Structure formats: C-alpha cells, structure tokens
Amino acid sequence: MLSKKTKYGIKALTYLGRQGNKIPVQIATISKSENISLKFLESILLTLRKNGILASKKGKGGGYYLLKEPSEIPMTSIMRILEGPISMVPCVSLNFYEKCDDCPDETACAVHKLMIQVRDNTLKIFRNTSLADLCKN
Amino acid sequence: MLSKKTKYGIKALTYLGRQGNKIPVQIATISKSENISLKFLESILLTLRKNGILASKKGKGGGYYLLKEPSEIPMTSIMRILEGPISMVPCVSLNFYEKCDDCPDETACAVHKLMIQVRDNTLKIFRNTSLADLCKN
DNA sequence: TATTACCCTACTTATTTAATAGGATAAACA
DNA sequence: TGTTTATCCTATTAAATAAGTAGGGTAATA
C-alpha cells in the first residue's frame, strides 16, 4: 500500500508542476487546495527539498518550487524518495537490497522469482512516467 | 511491501504444491523446511483453509493439503487472501475499493491514474501465474 | 484411552505511519 | 531596524499494523 506521505507528496509535486513557472508556492496554499494537513505536508516538502527535487525561499513571497522541469523528474525518483523501495520484497530491490533471513538460496525461491516480474513491470511504468505526465489534464 | 505473512504463506503453498499428491503434511515439517515460526505458520495455514485453499486432517498422520490442483490456484486468489488488495491505493482496488478522504474528484487525480496502470500490470502477472508456476524448478 | 496434530481466541511486542508541537532561522518590507 | 511572513528542524505522540506467542480445546488415529 502506498503511504499517505507518498500520495500527498505526489499531489503536491503535481500542483507545483501545473504552475508551470518557478514562482514559489506557499505550503498553506497547497495544503488547502489538496486537503493535506499543513504540518504533515511541511515535512514531506522538506524531504523533497533535501533530496534535490524542490527548492524553497523563506520569508514573504516565499514558498516551494520545482528545481527541474517536470519532464526531467521521473516517477522512479519520486517513489524512491518518498516511499522507499519499488520492489515488494527487499531481496529483489535494486536500490534497497537486503537478504532474506529465512531464504538459504534466493535463486531457488519461488517468491523471489515472482516478485522480480512484478518489480520489472512496475519499474517500467515508473521509468516511462515523469512528473510532466501526471500534470497533464 | 509484502508482509511476512504473505511471503511465508506462498512458500508453504509452494511446498505443498511440490508434494504433488494430497497426503497431509504437518505444519512442523513445513515450518522446519522453510524456516518459519511454527505458531505463525499455523495461523497462516488456518486462514488459507478458511478461505478454501487448503484442507486439513486432525490427529496422527494429519496435516494440511491443497484442495485443488496447483494449476487451478491463481496468484490473485492467494494474494488477496493473504495480503489483501493488489492495488497500491484503495481507490483503484477492484476487490477492496474505498474512496479517498482528500480527493474530491477521483477521475481528476494524478495518483489515481498512475496507480491504475500499476494495478493493471501487476494484476496481469498474478492472473497469468498459478501456484503450479511457482512450484516448477 | 493415550497420543498426535490441528483448532481457535486472546494477548503481547515491535515497527511503522501519520501526524502535532513549538520554537529557530531567514527574507522581505515599511 | 524592527516587524511580519514563511520556511526550517527536532522531538514527541497517537494510532494502526505486523509479527509473533501462549495455552488450552477438539478431533482423529491406533
């Protein structure tokens, strides 16, 4: 299941992407428009900034804005920053790999094989989708 | 992320499927072979039985066995019983649909559109895979 | 009738998620 | 220069979920 953090983050990024320009948007504006708790959204935007997706400006007229063009931001980046691994099990993760405690031989594991398929398909979608695609319509 | 419940459940079913026949296998046998806590596995097999995947026999020589041929058990069933929804958000779920609190118009939601794609792809894999496929090799 | 092995409810513990609180810092502007 | 505005940042908490544990009950076999 997608966490609310990720869901809210994507919605906020989509909102910013639809602005089209790099004029800062206040957290409160996004919070109201997308029905997201202001404080929660604040922490989400903070992590997006720390991970190089957003930039911010303090004080009057301040707010958050996208660092890059929406078309330059793949969903893989957004998902990995907000949600973590794209894979359903750590043992098939490309960026967050971890060995399973119970599995002596990973290549013989039925779950492993199945989840590689799922990962490859999901990855294909996220790689072929950028924030710009979400902003359309 | 896939829960351990689901992972262990799939492993246990694969173990049973590889037996080929309908001779009951004891929980303890599977527990040892697959490195799964006996008590935890017990509760997992119980839910699989209550959901029509397994049958059991009590007393000496008892244990669990598959009710149907592995080829007759699609991964969609197993996943829904053990993990719940296949979708990443409830608002795109076919079997566990729920409206989002924050979304006034679901058809306009960027997250919704993206997650429908992911769901369709994942569903395709699970529909085209049966327990028999996992038992091969 | 003793043993075996599943049946079933309840409980506990750990982890993660989803916030919330509250002050610090920096920019704009009068 | 001082006030307002809005982000920055750490810490805390509440709720939900996941993972595992306990322990007695029930049915089948020999």
Side-chain angles (χ1 to χ4, degrees), chain B residues 1-2 4 24 28 34 39 59 65 72 79 93 99 105 115 127:
Chain B
M1 276 285 159
L2 203 72
K4 298 217 167 167
E34 304 297 321
K39 277 299 205 174
Y65 56 94
E72 303 282 301
M79 290 300 292
S93 175
K99 199 186 173 307
D105 177 16
M115 292 306 154
R127 279 186 177 147

Side-chain angles (χ1 to χ4, degrees), chain B residues 2-5 8 37 39-40 42 57-60:
Chain B
L2 203 72
S3 67
K4 298 217 167 167
K5 181 180 165 188
Y8 293 163
S37 144
K39 277 299 205 174
F40 194 20
E42 190 181 324
K57 208 183 156 195
K58 284 184 180 177
K60 191 165 190 177

Side-chain angles (χ1 to χ4, degrees), chain B residues 2-115:
Chain B
L2 203 72
S3 67
K4 298 217 167 167
K5 181 180 165 188
T6 304
K7 186 180 156 202
Y8 293 163
I10 295 174
K11 282 189 162 192
L13 287 172
T14 306
Y15 186 99
L16 289 171
R18 282 179 178 152
Q19 298 305 303
N21 45 41
K22 290 190 174 175
I23 293 171
V25 178
Q26 292 170 34
I27 303 173
T29 308
I30 305 173
S31 159
K32 277 171 204 154
S33 164
E34 304 297 321
N35 300 307
I36 306 168
S37 144
L38 190 131
K39 277 299 205 174
F40 194 20
L41 181 59
E42 190 181 324
S43 75
I44 295 167
L45 298 185
L46 201 61
T47 66
L48 286 168
R49 188 195 56 114
K50 287 186 176 167
N51 283 279
I53 303 291
L54 295 177
S56 63
K57 208 183 156 195
K58 284 184 180 177
K60 191 165 190 177
Y64 280 96
Y65 56 94
L66 291 170
L67 256 180
K68 289 182 273 186
E69 286 301 309
S71 60
E72 303 282 301
I73 307 173
M75 285 311 295
T76 43
S77 301
I78 298 173
M79 290 300 292
R80 286 191 178 118
I81 291 167
L82 294 172
E83 190 73 8
I86 287 164
S87 311
M88 292 187 83
V89 279
C91 70
V92 303
S93 175
L94 300 176
N95 288 252
F96 300 84
Y97 175 84
E98 257 178 78
K99 199 186 173 307
C100 297
D101 293 330
D102 55 304
C103 246
D105 177 16
E106 176 164 292
T107 60
C109 176
V111 178
H112 185 84
K113 285 196 187 77
L114 179 65
M115 292 306 154

